[in-house]
Amino acid sequence: MREAPIGVFDSGVGGLSVLGEIQRLLPNESLLYVADCGNIPYGEKTPEFIRERCSVMAGFFREQGAKALVLACNTATVAGVADLRRDFPDWPIVGMEPAVKPAAAATRSGVVGVLATTGTLQSAKFAALLDRFAADIKVITQPCPGLVELIETGDLHSAELRTLLQGYVAPLLAQNCDTIILGCTHYPFLKPLLRSMIADDVSLIDTGDAVARQLQRLLAERDLLAQRPSQAVKFWTSGDPQSLRKILPLLGQTASNVQNFDL
Ligand code: DGL
């Protein structure tokens, strides 16, 4: 079981920002990645729809013999992780959530901005996170429709993307925000572009590395850490395998075989 793979999924390529962190921290682990590109964006879908997709993904990874599951998607986590943990109580399941706690600890101006999908920002789980960790700071939330779709085409710095992103970041900076939470796994790929728009003393925080460490902890507790060097990552997409294959190298993955996911 130690050498069994780990299932990782997202609505698209965003979860590759998390996959990269897992590969860095746990180079022995064999990884399976599903990009649900045929159903992107999750951020504009109903929680019921996303819960159904989470259940399909879990079923697929169980069939593949996965020893653990990573929801490399904030939107899928807020909608679906509770049901998955109820349905698979003995399976290590790692979800993501916007980094409100570390941002609240880091801010000096007392103003934190959150860039995330509409679905994440509207969820009860996000509201609970604010109640728990952000009582003493001001949090400005900013949904970012359109960013995910551009990133999915491999666009990380076009003029169109820059204008869209500028429009989302400007209101945060105007309110003296010094810490910006990247609350969607697609957004870490925009860090270079974002850095060119904000002052050096504004921090960008995401949770990919924390998720990789949490996965490591859960596997270690169960004596499930792989001991032998891993195989290449296996990729599936419910969208067009050819276009995913093309984008992979832009997002830190070596081009590999991408299979059709038609569940
Ligand atoms: N990458 C996803 C997240 O972390 C969502 C993207 C989408 O809207 O599909 O929230």
Side-chain angles (χ1 to χ4, degrees):
M1 194 60 179
R2 287 188 190 136
E3 307 310 316
I6 296 164
V8 181
F9 83 94
D10 178 43
S11 58
V13 297
L16 298 175
S17 66
V18 181
L19 191 80
E21 299 291 348
I22 297 172
Q23 288 167 315
R24 260 187 287 285
L25 186 68
L26 302 169
N28 282 349
E29 299 299 336
S30 297
L31 300 164
L32 313 176
Y33 186 93
V34 177
D36 198 9
C37 300
N39 292 298
I40 205 160
Y42 277 6
E44 307 298 321
K45 300 280 192 310
T46 64
E48 294 70 31
F49 178 86
I50 297 169
R51 275 196 281 279
E52 176 54 31
R53 293 311 292 164
C54 287
S55 149
V56 167
M57 297 296 161
F60 172 74
F61 287 128
R62 299 283 291 192
E63 267 173 30
Q64 297 286 321
K67 65 183 175 184
L69 174 66
V70 179
L71 283 75
C73 176
N74 292 264
T75 316
T77 302
V78 296
V81 76
D83 283 12
L84 291 178
R85 290 194 174 124
R86 181 201 60 208
D87 295 344
F88 304 102
D90 299 326
W91 204 25
I93 297 177
V94 183
M96 327 228 14
E97 61 188 18
V100 174
K101 186 182 176 188
T107 179
R108 286 150 286 127
S109 68
V111 186
V112 164
V114 188
L115 303 178
T117 67
T118 308
T120 296
L121 296 176
Q122 283 180 350
S123 67
K125 209 165 154 47
F126 181 68
L129 200 60
L130 292 186
D131 281 348
R132 184 151 175 227
F133 297 115
D136 300 327
I137 57 164
K138 179 170 170 189
V139 176
I140 309 165
T141 57
Q142 177 62 63
C144 306
L147 288 186
V148 160
E149 289 86 336
L150 289 175
I151 296 166
E152 285 291 317
T153 67
D155 176 2
L156 302 180
H157 35 61
S158 70
E160 181 190 0
L161 177 64
R162 174 178 280 275
T163 306
L164 191 61
L165 188 57
Q166 188 79 55
Y168 293 142
V169 172
L172 309 183
L173 300 178
Q175 293 183 70
N176 197 26
C177 160
D178 70 352
T179 308
I180 299 178
I181 298 172
L182 305 180
C184 167
T185 53
H186 282 74
Y187 304 164
F189 291 119
L190 300 182
K191 272 187 193 168
L193 184 59
L194 268 165
R195 284 256 61 109
S196 74
M197 299 177 177
I198 61 178
D200 288 348
D201 59 355
V202 176
S203 317
L204 298 173
I205 303 193
D206 67 89
T207 48
D209 56 342
V211 163
R213 287 197 304 275
Q214 172 67 359
L215 175 64
Q216 183 183 41
R217 262 193 298 275
L218 292 185
L219 294 177
E221 269 168 28
R222 293 163 173 78
D223 192 18
L224 281 176
L225 285 166
Q227 310 296 310
R228 294 198 288 271
S230 76
Q231 311 299 313
V233 187
K234 287 188 186 162
F235 292 97
W236 286 261
T237 177
S238 57
D240 175 20
Q242 188 59 30
S243 52
L244 180 57
R245 200 171 298 131
K246 253 197 264 157
I247 295 169
L248 284 175
L250 300 175
L251 304 177
Q253 297 295 322
T254 44
S256 20
N257 185 25
V258 178
Q259 300 174 60
N260 239 315
F261 184 85
D262 51 15
L263 294 174

